[in-house]
């Protein structure tokens, strides 16, 4: 029996049923796209406890302008601390369609310009404290043993993994801190920490859809009433 015969025998409603069945589609291959990364830098100063020094570039206000450099060759301006103090910076918005971020890599370029010293006894070198804050919540901090000294800069890095939305990333604040070394017998001179760059590398993904579609059922020119339609994976025209 042809499709024409089916229509004559069962009416227009049968045409609607057959057309609907023969036109069923489904999208395939939803997945998260390959990971990408974007580097963001300070664009505001939330708290400026360190001392700004050197030639400022006026890219933002406060110590932010001392640590937002892109090039590692620029050591002419910096934030530094000898007494216990902390800095916290607002960061640039991520300029990408980051539907899901999976990691925040915090990077701080720093030197211990001078070391702790005691008149008597052995000083205890203090670590660099660094961390992040999201959505105005609690600080997440780590301590890093300082290796670079006397003007030799080194990168200090820490990964903060999780599942972050783009809105989360756009609230990101970064944090650096120095503590005082404990007393060592008699008299102590505190070390000087000097930071030239702070940045965060955001690893993110966007959803990816295969825009091709497949028919669930093949169009049939001859339809037998009550017969099953053949399934197919043939790609749509």
């Amino acid at each position: 029996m042809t499709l024409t015969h089916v229509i004559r025998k069962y009416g227009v409603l049968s045409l609607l049923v057959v057309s609907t069945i023969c036109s069923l589609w489904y999208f395939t291959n939803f997945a998260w796209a390959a990971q990408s990364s974007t580097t963001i830098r300070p664009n505001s100063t939330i708290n400026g406890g360190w001392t700004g020094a050197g030639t400022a570039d006026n890219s933002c206000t406060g110590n932010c302008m001392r640590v937002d450099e892109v090039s590692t060759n620029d050591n002419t301006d910096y934030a530094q601390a000898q007494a216990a103090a902390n800095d916290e910076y607002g960061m640039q918005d991520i300029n990408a369609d980051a539907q899901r971020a999976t990691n925040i890599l915090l990077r701080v370029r720093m030197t211990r310009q001078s070391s702790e010293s005691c008149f008597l006894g052995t000083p205890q070198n203090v670590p660099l404290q660094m961390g992040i804050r999201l959505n105005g919540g609690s600080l997440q901090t780590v301590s890093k043993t300082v290796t670079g000294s006397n003007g030799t800069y080194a990168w200090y890095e820490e990964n903060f993994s999780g599942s972050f939305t783009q809105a989360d990333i756009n609230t990101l604040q970064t944090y650096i801190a120095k503590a005082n070394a404990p007393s060592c017998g008699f008299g102590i001179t505190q070390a000087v920490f000097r930071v030239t760059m702070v940045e965060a590398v955001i690893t993110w993904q966007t959803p990816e859809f295969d825009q091709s579609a497949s028919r669930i059922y093949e169009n049939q020119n001859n339809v037998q009433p009550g017969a099953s339609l053949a399934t197919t994976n043939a790609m749509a025209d």
Side-chain angles (χ1 to χ4, degrees):
M1 182 182 293
T2 66
L3 185 59
T4 301
H5 292 148
V6 171
I7 295 171
R8 288 176 179 172
K9 184 173 182 178
Y10 297 101
V12 176
L13 180 59
S14 65
L15 176 62
L16 295 175
V17 172
V18 171
S19 298
T20 300
I21 292 174
C22 295
S23 301
L24 289 175
W25 305 83
Y26 63 97
F27 285 99
T28 59
N29 298 331
F30 165 80
W32 290 102
Q35 292 184 338
S36 301
S37 63
T38 301
T39 300
I40 57 176
R41 297 178 173 84
N43 64 358
S44 65
T45 303
I46 306 299
N47 179 63
W50 291 38
T51 301
T55 304
D57 58 16
N58 297 316
S59 54
C60 48
T61 59
N63 285 344
C64 160
M65 75 177 83
R66 312 287 182 174
V67 298
D68 64 344
E69 276 71 25
V70 175
S71 171
T72 58
N73 295 325
D74 185 1
N75 297 330
T76 59
D77 63 329
Y78 43 84
Q80 70 177 22
Q82 185 170 25
N86 65 78
D87 262 18
E88 191 164 354
Y89 308 112
M91 303 295 285
Q92 298 166 329
D93 289 350
I94 183 170
N95 187 23
D97 186 18
Q99 299 293 330
R100 182 178 72 169
T102 57
N103 193 73
I104 301 169
L105 171 61
L106 176 60
R107 307 181 75 226
V108 177
R109 183 174 181 266
M110 197 198 85
T111 183
R112 183 170 53 208
Q113 191 67 14
S114 64
S115 299
E116 295 87 350
S117 62
C118 289
F119 181 71
L120 293 174
T122 302
Q124 176 183 335
N125 291 337
V126 297
L128 167 69
Q129 295 177 315
M130 53 192 282
I132 65 170
R133 190 194 305 272
L134 290 167
N135 296 309
S138 300
L139 278 168
Q140 304 175 54
T141 60
V142 295
S143 295
K144 294 291 184 179
T145 301
V146 177
T147 56
S149 62
N150 300 320
T152 301
Y153 285 91
W155 282 103
Y156 298 88
E157 301 182 342
E158 184 66 22
N159 286 292
F160 298 87
S161 298
S163 182
F164 314 106
T165 66
Q166 183 166 343
D168 292 332
I169 298 300
N170 289 345
T171 69
L172 177 65
Q173 296 171 203
T174 55
Y175 172 89
I176 57 173
K178 178 190 180 295
N180 282 330
S183 179
C184 49
F186 178 75
I188 184 170
T189 300
Q190 300 290 338
V192 175
F193 284 9
R194 182 175 291 179
V195 169
T196 61
M197 296 176 69
V198 175
E199 61 187 31
V201 181
I202 312 300
T203 301
W204 54 274
Q205 296 172 301
T206 54
E208 183 179 74
F209 296 90
D210 185 343
Q211 295 304 311
S212 62
S214 300
R215 289 191 189 92
I216 296 176
Y217 296 100
E218 265 186 353
N219 291 325
Q220 304 288 325
N221 288 325
N222 295 292
V223 179
Q224 296 296 328
S228 299
L229 292 175
T231 60
T232 180
N233 288 320
M235 300 307 294
D237 297 333

